[in-house]
Amino acid sequence: MQHVSKGETAMRYRDRTIGDAVRGNAIGEARNAWPTKRVIAVLAVLLAAPPCFAHHTDERADKNGGGYTNTAADTNETAQYMPSIVVTAPQTTTGLETSFDPKAPQQPLPANDGASLLKSIPGMNVIRKGGTDGDPIFRGMAASRLNILFDGEHILGGCGGRMDPPTAYIFPDAFDRVTLIKGPQSVRYGHGSSAGTVLFERHSDYFEQTGGEASAAVTAASFNRLDYFLDAKAGAPLGYARGILTYAKSDDYKDGDGKSVHSEYERQSASAIVGYTPDPNTRLELSMVRSDAVAAYADRGMDGSLFKRENYALKLEKNAIGSVFEALEANAYYNYIDHVMDNYTLRDGAAMDMVSNPDRKTIGGRLAAVLMPTASLKAVIGADAQYNRHTGRSSSGMNARAYNELSRVENARFTDYGLFAETTWSTADDSRWVFGLRGDWWEAKDYRETISIGGMPASTRPNPTANETRRETLFSGFARHERDLLGGEAYMGLGYVQRAPDFWEAINKEARGQDNAASLSVFDKIEPEKTAQLDLGVTYNYENLEGFVSIFYSKIDDFILIQSGYSKPGASMGTRSATVARNINASTYGGEAGLAYRFSGGLKTSASLAYTRGENDTDNRALAQIPPLEGRLGLDWDNGSWTIGALARFVASQNRYSLNEGNVVGQDLGRGDAFNVFSINGGYHWDKTASLIFGIDNVFDETYSEFISKSGASVEGYEQTIRVNEPGRTFWAKAQFSF
Ligand SMILES: [Cu+2]
């Protein structure tokens, strides 16, 4: 789907590039809430850095540019203003979109998965569960509110306990570009993405002549972390072949107190891609991906001993067809996830073996046409479809390890057909309107014969909605006005999204209410969520100063709230603690801002700020799982060969919380403490073919956890913590080569 999206991006944003980061006095105000001693110490060191060196060059943007050549994102300017990724990462930020190269080094060193990679974007955070496979959360919205696409494909995890969000199947080195589109300001990528859309994209260049190229990287870090990848492609004008292998492993990391966190993982993936290109404007691509992983979880009684993905995809792109009918794109895909979690593969001490083996098959496709009826009007019109089927089997005790002899039991099936249209109408050289409209025909089937209820003793009950089918017609749309300013842009958009409950909300949670028998299943009780959001933003890019501000106000009717620890009648007597789903009305507002200033001599400074406030308007209390105010300050120096950088991350305390409330991933645990983390990096670039980047994350070995992290579980051999702590001081080095 790249050409449609890239074409549109290029059209909407022209060739402007904007850095990210913040307003000095906002940081100053915010800092009052934070411990200041270390901040001052680090700022002093940063400001003492040599102010004047040879003029900065931008070679590294090309080095890391992947296969992309025709978007604003690849212009050299973008290499310079990235406060949270080390200087070698090319990144574009407009108010509405952020994109970067997933292969580029980042600081702090992200875990090897998609969520961790996204954390460098202001406003993005990760709900930590262990060493990898956290859930990304943007502006306090996680799971189905944040649509994640793998090169145009949807993929849904199998785990009822959310061990495998889509990003658990992302191997960053197997992609060429990551883009976040903020808010409900696009309808082209599927149903329900109210908070935003994240596109992980792979793009293989057209070969004008016979040739080949390869890139590779090795990363080594504390805690026996080792990652490597090899990406090799060869081709001729008629077609190409590409293979990508990735591998990553880490032992348990230690927090700032030197305590081990149950977090080890090992992950690997292999992608094979062949493309047929009879001419430069036609591409038929077949791809296959196999991946597997094991991962320890510090937040629960089980670990993931299998995360297996099987994928086949077919893609057709046809560009420059004619003056009115400009381009056509089609894809079809198959994704199969097989997941096993147990309490005996990666940990000791369980009184009884327990294992669960869900799987999910997701099949989908999409057809889109790009039309240009007049010079000032461009439209993308298309249809998409998705079908997914979830099964499970589980066992415990003596026979647990023979679980794969059991037959799988189907528990849910979802189908969605969508039609969409997005138009860009240029009213003048410097202003345009973008409109989008989408309809979805959604259907869900509940195949559970029984519902298991916890408590002592645990038991099962007949499912009151067994074999029921539920249908919803859902609408979404947006209108946005954009106007160019001094090298930047201002925009204002209004968006509306109806989102049907997902598997975790509709199937995996109970209904609220005291009538135990009738209210067990939430399948037919939970209403679709309706989000209306206003997005406003401005970007600025003039001479040595770049900046952006993007703010939003969101009104969410029938927000699907997940509440744990809800007291319900017990199986035979007394009460039990249940996790329920219910609709509330909510509102959120906030935004992100960034500022970057380039001094002479290769020195630049940048800052960013992100804040979201959420209100549960039904219960008149804080909306849960909203990360607190966060600011980042970066200082980088670069002479074309050597780079030196420092990054400070300041996170305020979170005093607005609602105990036991949240989303399908996690619920609030109480107040969140403020913390500051400082990191430094350096690097050397030989020429366009080799570089070495190294860094120390969390230099002062701070012990801290994110407000939204899951609670620490009791795991034998590990100390239990309130939340899963973040890694302590981490040394890392990444060597990159291209041939
Ligand atoms: Cu699981």
Side-chain angles (χ1 to χ4, degrees):
M1 296 302 135
Q2 277 97 358
H3 283 122
V4 172
S5 58
K6 273 203 284 192
E8 258 221 323
T9 301
M11 184 173 166
R12 276 186 285 139
Y13 298 116
R14 307 289 152 76
D15 289 313
R16 282 163 290 114
T17 61
I18 294 95
D20 51 333
V22 186
R23 194 162 307 239
N25 51 8
I27 282 278
E29 275 171 30
R31 202 189 297 136
N32 294 333
W34 298 318
T36 51
K37 266 188 198 162
R38 281 181 178 169
V39 181
I40 292 164
V42 166
L43 286 179
V45 172
L46 296 184
L47 294 173
C52 197
F53 286 92
H55 187 70
H56 176 80
T57 59
D58 290 312
E59 294 176 353
R60 293 161 330 289
D62 303 332
K63 268 186 204 169
N64 291 295
Y68 291 80
T69 49
N70 62 344
T71 65
D74 286 312
T75 61
N76 291 338
E77 296 266 24
T78 59
Q80 302 180 21
Y81 298 104
M82 185 48 222
S84 49
I85 300 185
V86 291
V87 285
T88 46
Q91 161 148 0
T92 322
T93 298
T94 67
L96 204 62
E97 289 190 22
T98 300
S99 65
F100 60 90
D101 175 3
K103 292 184 172 84
Q106 280 196 7
Q107 185 164 44
L109 179 68
N112 188 275
D113 75 320
S116 192
L117 190 78
L118 295 171
K119 202 174 169 177
S120 62
I121 300 174
M124 194 67 97
N125 219 306
V126 175
I127 304 175
R128 185 179 282 279
K129 307 157 193 173
T132 184
D133 300 345
D135 251 88
I137 182 165
F138 180 61
R139 293 172 169 172
M141 298 292 147
S144 302
R145 296 173 182 123
L146 194 59
N147 206 353
I148 312 263
L149 276 90
F150 288 44
D151 214 26
E153 301 173 31
H154 281 101
I155 179 169
L156 293 160
C159 186
R162 200 85 193 163
M163 273 181 177
D164 61 343
T167 43
Y169 298 97
I170 290 277
F171 293 77
D173 297 322
F175 293 90
D176 299 313
R177 179 163 297 280
V178 189
T179 303
L180 165 71
I181 305 169
K182 297 176 179 184
Q185 290 291 319
S186 178
V187 293
R188 285 175 291 150
Y189 302 105
H191 142 248
S193 51
S194 51
T197 301
V198 181
L199 310 173
F200 285 86
E201 292 177 310
R202 195 179 57 219
H203 188 79
S204 303
D205 279 336
Y206 172 72
F207 281 80
E208 280 172 14
Q209 54 197 36
T210 304
E213 59 187 79
S215 59
V218 183
T219 304
S222 304
F223 317 118
N224 282 326
R225 172 87 183 264
L226 177 69
D227 289 29
Y228 52 79
F229 80 84
L230 176 67
D231 181 351
K233 42 196 160 185
L238 203 59
Y240 57 87
R242 183 177 182 188
I244 310 168
L245 292 172
T246 77
Y247 174 83
K249 72 149 179 115
S250 176
D251 286 352
D252 289 341
Y253 66 78
K254 288 187 167 70
D255 68 10
D257 291 334
K259 289 176 192 149
S260 281
V261 175
H262 188 52
S263 58
E264 61 179 315
Y265 63 83
E266 187 170 11
R267 295 161 54 82
Q268 50 206 323
S269 76
S271 311
I273 302 126
V274 285
Y276 170 59
T277 49
D279 62 71
N281 292 312
T282 308
R283 174 198 303 264
L284 182 66
E285 190 179 272
L286 175 70
S287 58
M288 266 173 290
V289 180
R290 290 281 182 283
S291 68
D292 197 0
V294 292
Y297 285 72
D299 68 326
R300 64 191 77 196
M302 285 187 175
D303 302 306
S305 52
L306 185 77
F307 295 87
K308 205 169 147 187
R309 176 185 176 213
E310 243 179 71
N311 160 256
Y312 303 93
L314 192 64
K315 215 173 6 174
L316 173 72
E317 294 173 4
K318 180 92 184 127
N319 292 295
I321 298 172
S323 57
V324 175
F325 183 9
E326 205 180 59
L328 179 76
E329 294 201 348
N331 78 344
Y333 61 88
Y334 168 93
N335 271 309
Y336 177 71
I337 300 301
D338 194 7
H339 167 55
V340 177
M341 55 184 156
D342 66 53
N343 62 356
Y344 49 79
T345 303
L346 294 179
R347 67 177 73 193
D348 302 316
M352 181 174 73
D353 283 357
M354 305 235 288
V355 59
S356 175
N357 176 209
D359 75 348
R360 173 106 66 158
K361 189 184 291 176
T362 308
I363 297 170
R366 182 176 185 268
L367 182 69
V370 182
L371 307 176
M372 209 151 168
T374 72
S376 61
L377 197 66
K378 184 167 185 167
V380 184
I381 293 170
D384 55 25
Q386 194 233 88
Y387 157 90
N388 74 84
R389 175 181 190 265
H390 188 274
T391 82
R393 60 185 172 191
S394 58
S395 187
S396 60
M398 307 252 291
N399 297 322
R401 296 175 196 221
Y403 68 87
N404 51 9
E405 289 167 16
L406 302 171
S407 53
R408 294 184 189 269
V409 181
E410 181 168 4
N411 45 37
R413 209 179 271 202
F414 294 82
T415 320
D416 183 53
Y417 297 98
L419 283 177
F420 60 87
E422 235 178 84
T423 16
T424 306
W425 174 39
S426 301
T427 48
D429 275 355
D430 62 351
S431 84
R432 62 219 148 259
W433 282 91
V434 188
F435 302 100
L437 197 60
R438 181 179 172 95
D440 280 276
W441 289 266
W442 176 90
E443 185 187 279
K445 288 186 169 157
D446 181 0
Y447 288 114
R448 298 166 301 162
E449 294 295 338
T450 58
I451 291 179
S452 47
I453 56 176
M456 285 296 176
S459 121
T460 59
R461 286 289 148 83
N463 175 11
T465 57
N467 299 309
E468 270 185 24
T469 299
R470 183 176 166 181
R471 291 186 184 89
E472 299 284 348
T473 305
L474 305 157
F475 292 99
S476 49
F478 70 89
R480 182 172 73 242
H481 185 57
E482 299 177 348
R483 186 179 287 270
D484 297 344
L485 299 170
L486 265 182
E489 177 197 86
Y491 69 91
M492 179 164 79
L494 194 59
Y496 177 76
V497 176
Q498 294 180 334
R499 182 181 73 85
D502 64 21
F503 169 81
W504 291 268
E505 292 158 338
I507 299 288
N508 227 41
K509 301 288 179 269
E510 280 188 39
R512 204 184 186 192
Q514 294 300 325
D515 178 3
N516 193 15
S519 65
L520 263 186
S521 171
V522 77
F523 181 75
D524 60 348
K525 292 188 174 58
I526 199 95
E527 292 299 319
E529 195 170 276
K530 297 119 192 145
T531 302
Q533 183 166 315
L534 178 69
D535 279 281
L536 286 170
V538 60
T539 50
Y540 180 85
N541 180 11
Y542 190 67
E543 294 190 339
N544 292 327
L545 189 68
E546 293 189 16
F548 81 91
V549 177
S550 48
I551 57 173
F552 73 99
Y553 175 79
S554 192
K555 184 93 194 60
I556 312 168
D557 283 350
D558 290 323
F559 179 91
I560 302 174
L561 185 81
I562 306 297
Q563 188 177 351
S564 61
Y566 185 74
S567 183
K568 285 184 122 185
S572 50
M573 51 188 275
T575 58
R576 65 192 172 87
S577 169
T579 302
V580 300
R582 64 185 172 101
N583 290 114
I584 59 159
N585 290 335
S587 45
T588 60
Y589 63 84
E592 302 81 40
L595 197 69
Y597 186 78
R598 187 176 4 159
F599 297 94
S600 59
L603 186 71
K604 65 177 186 291
T605 175
S606 55
S608 73
L609 197 66
Y611 179 67
T612 298
R613 187 182 169 98
E615 197 68 39
N616 172 341
D617 299 317
T618 299
D619 303 320
N620 289 316
R621 55 178 177 253
L623 188 66
Q625 291 285 288
I626 306 285
L629 174 69
E630 167 165 348
R632 293 177 204 175
L633 275 177
L635 191 74
D636 295 294
W637 170 78
D638 186 331
N639 76 348
S641 299
W642 287 96
T643 61
I644 302 170
L647 173 73
R649 179 170 175 241
F650 310 107
V651 177
S653 58
Q654 180 57 290
N655 298 307
R656 303 190 78 250
Y657 62 87
S658 289
L659 215 57
N660 296 332
E661 292 185 350
N663 49 46
V664 295
V665 190
Q667 290 82 41
D668 280 5
L669 301 166
R671 186 182 174 276
D673 287 335
F675 58 85
N676 305 317
V677 183
F678 301 99
S679 303
I680 52 174
N681 65 72
Y684 185 76
H685 305 266
W686 275 267
D687 48 32
K688 292 200 175 200
T689 60
S691 64
L692 179 69
I693 313 285
F694 41 86
I696 308 171
D697 298 343
N698 195 357
V699 171
F700 298 113
D701 216 5
E702 181 90 18
T703 304
Y704 69 103
S705 60
E706 304 281 351
F707 168 71
I708 49 165
S709 282
K710 297 289 297 289
S711 58
S714 159
V715 182
E716 189 174 272
Y718 297 83
E719 197 164 309
Q720 188 169 2
T721 51
I722 294 169
R723 289 183 175 84
V724 179
N725 283 338
E726 296 292 311
R729 187 184 299 128
T730 305
F731 297 87
W732 56 266
K734 181 169 189 171
Q736 290 178 291
F737 313 93
S738 55
F739 330 101

